[in-house]
Amino acid sequence: MLLAHDGEKATGVLAFRAEGVLTRIFVDGGVPVFAEAGAHGETLGNVLVREKVITHEQFAAVVRRMTDALVDDENVRFGEVVVELGILSKEDLARALTAQVEKKIIGCVHRGEGEWTFDARSVGDVPRHPTPIRALLLDAAEHFPDERVETLAAAGRFPRTKRMASLLAGEYGLDERELAIVQQLDGT
């Protein structure tokens, strides 16, 4: 679905439900720019701690600042506070937010089959963290859980390319080693 909307340069909200999790991917001109997922543990702060970008102590300092802001009737976001406290630069925050969107989309790919719907409409003023889908899908496939790979192989599904490998290499940013593998994808 993501590749289809990329090819059509579609704009709207792509909803995917699988394994009890709803993920909404906001697509602008075919490019995912934002994602929301039902997994509560995927907040920016939790992702930054898990990926060891910030420490537990830094996370706690940000949460304290956010709590103080709430007492003062201010609404602040985790990302704003992490920059305000000097824990991350604006550039580091932008990279982290893009990585968060990528992880939510990769989560869709890892959950496997589910129900997709697409609402063709303006994506409004959601935060924008463009995530080129082709390279992201390769990253997702590289980290398939073993049981998913075994299920695909047991079903007799073997990939083959429909287009010239050299064209795919340019679109997906493949290096020489990856290109050599793609050239072997012949459906057997």
Side-chain angles (χ1 to χ4, degrees):
M1 289 298 293
L2 289 165
L3 285 173
H5 292 301
D6 177 57
E8 296 168 5
K9 304 296 182 219
T11 296
V13 180
L14 183 61
F16 176 67
R17 182 179 297 278
E19 297 180 4
V21 177
L22 172 66
T23 303
R24 294 180 345 135
I25 303 169
F26 296 77
V27 179
D28 190 9
V31 178
V33 295
F34 187 70
E36 298 173 334
H40 295 293
E42 288 304 306
T43 64
L44 177 62
N46 289 334
V47 170
L48 291 173
V49 170
R50 186 178 61 246
E51 299 294 322
K52 297 183 169 98
V53 175
I54 66 172
T55 66
H56 289 283
E57 293 77 18
Q58 290 170 321
F59 177 82
V62 172
V63 171
R64 278 192 301 276
R65 168 64 182 96
M66 291 176 72
T67 303
D68 292 345
L70 281 175
V71 170
D72 295 337
D73 205 25
E74 289 180 64
N75 186 18
V76 294
R77 301 182 96 147
F78 190 94
E80 295 169 353
V81 175
V82 81
V83 170
E84 173 189 317
L85 295 177
I87 297 170
L88 294 179
S89 68
K90 287 183 180 182
E91 295 78 19
D92 290 337
L93 174 62
R95 280 191 292 277
L97 289 168
T98 298
Q100 183 184 30
V101 170
E102 291 172 353
K103 288 187 182 313
K104 289 177 181 181
I105 295 171
I106 287 172
C108 290
V109 175
H110 283 200
R111 282 191 290 281
E113 294 190 30
E115 296 177 15
W116 292 93
T117 60
F118 186 71
D119 181 9
R121 62 180 169 92
S122 169
V123 294
D125 61 351
V126 297
R128 299 200 179 249
H129 307 288
T131 307
I133 196 61
R134 295 176 189 281
L136 180 63
L137 291 175
L138 283 178
D139 289 344
E142 182 179 350
H143 300 289
F144 271 168
D146 289 341
E147 55 274 0
R148 176 106 190 267
V149 173
E150 290 169 11
T151 300
L152 292 171
R157 297 180 188 167
F158 299 97
R160 67 180 176 85
T161 58
K162 292 183 178 181
R163 298 179 54 215
M164 290 178 46
S166 59
L167 293 175
L168 295 172
E171 288 180 18
Y172 287 88
L174 303 178
D175 62 29
E176 288 181 27
R177 181 182 60 85
E178 294 165 329
L179 175 59
I181 292 168
V182 168
Q183 289 171 329
Q184 295 176 30
L185 300 178
D186 61 3
T188 61

